[in-house]
Amino acid sequence: RRYEADVPATLDLALRAELAVQGLTRFLDARFAPYNHAYFNVNPAFMTNHYGQGHQNWGKTAESLALARLMSGSRANLDVERKTFNGMIDFSKSKLQHDKLPTPISRVMLALMHVYHREPNEELKGLIAFMADVHGKHATIAAEQAYYWDGPPDERDTQLGVNGYLLQVFVNGTAIRALTRWHQISGDEQSIELAGKLAAFLVQPKYWQPEC
């Protein structure tokens, strides 16, 4: 539904989102996936799939596209959006079979839930529910805690992470986002229970105590 209204002469976020829709649908590869890496320090600049983790981040760009379209109401390049979401779903099915770390699937869930909010349908709801169930199957449960990654801290000189525990917070925290969002939509109690156990794992003091 569209309507005209007088608004303050401030930054037009809807216009910025409309521009974002153009950008997010015009930098994709032949599979309508985000490229892995871009080089702007050469002439001409170019994008490549030889380095980086572009396909692993497919859910991030798809979620951004869904949110930008929601903000702006833009109908530009809907055919491209459909192809990138279909490609992302096909890609996620291969990740479901082989990967124990759910982060790419968590990001796909977040993207699909925005689409479901815009266009609810039972097929999409079933797909998201299946992805949520996979989160439960891949989690390691230890009493009242759960986790996907609990490796040693990264002691290298880096600004990333909390006391070197970047992957623990990133992997488990991203899953919490997806599972709690799914509970809000579906009321699925298993998802919120798992999210609570993941949160209990992440609040261990070793992840948050200041470095000496």
Side-chain angles (χ1 to χ4, degrees), residues 7 30 71 93 109 127 146 175:
V7 297
M71 286 177 60
K93 289 178 180 177
M109 280 183 65
L127 176 60

Side-chain angles (χ1 to χ4, degrees), residues 4-205:
E4 293 186 5
D6 293 328
V7 297
T10 56
L11 177 65
D12 191 337
L13 296 178
L15 177 59
R16 293 294 186 271
E18 186 176 2
L19 293 172
V21 169
Q22 293 288 341
L24 290 165
T25 53
R26 292 179 180 271
F27 82 120
L28 306 173
D29 65 16
R31 296 173 53 191
F32 295 92
Y35 276 96
N36 288 354
H37 212 81
Y39 287 91
F40 297 101
N41 59 339
V42 294
N43 189 9
F46 69 96
M47 293 182 288
T48 178
N49 282 324
H50 291 302
Y51 311 100
Q53 298 184 355
H55 293 180
Q56 302 279 1
N57 294 320
W58 206 331
K60 292 182 179 181
T61 56
E63 182 185 14
S64 300
L65 175 56
L67 287 171
R69 200 176 290 284
L70 182 65
M71 286 177 60
S72 65
S74 171
R75 299 184 62 82
N77 302 329
L78 282 170
D79 58 327
V80 176
E81 178 181 296
R82 183 178 65 256
K83 291 174 181 177
T84 193
F85 269 85
N86 287 340
M88 178 185 68
I89 291 170
D90 289 341
F91 171 74
S92 67
K93 289 178 180 177
S94 66
K95 305 299 290 182
L96 287 168
Q97 295 175 5
H98 304 296
D99 282 19
K100 297 302 181 183
L101 297 183
T103 308
I105 303 304
S106 303
R107 299 302 315 210
V108 170
M109 280 183 65
L110 289 165
L112 293 179
M113 284 185 281
H114 287 296
V115 175
Y116 181 79
H117 175 75
R118 188 178 73 200
E119 304 172 17
N121 67 81
E122 290 303 312
E123 182 179 2
L124 181 55
K125 185 177 181 180
L127 176 60
I128 301 170
F130 176 70
M131 292 180 175
D133 289 343
V134 169
H135 277 71
K137 292 177 181 177
H138 287 177
T140 299
I141 308 295
E144 295 303 312
Q145 297 181 355
Y147 63 90
Y148 299 101
W149 174 258
D150 190 23
D154 186 346
E155 301 292 352
R156 292 175 296 176
D157 184 17
T158 175
Q159 297 298 315
L160 298 176
V162 179
N163 290 354
Y165 291 105
L166 167 66
L167 278 179
Q168 286 85 342
V169 176
F170 173 65
V171 172
N172 299 301
T174 304
I176 291 173
R177 284 187 59 202
L179 292 167
T180 52
R181 173 70 173 146
W182 178 236
H183 172 72
Q184 288 178 322
I185 292 174
S186 67
D188 179 49
E189 291 299 326
Q190 290 183 334
S191 291
I192 198 65
E193 180 181 351
L194 177 56
K197 290 182 177 181
L198 291 167
F201 173 81
L202 282 184
V203 296
Q204 294 180 81

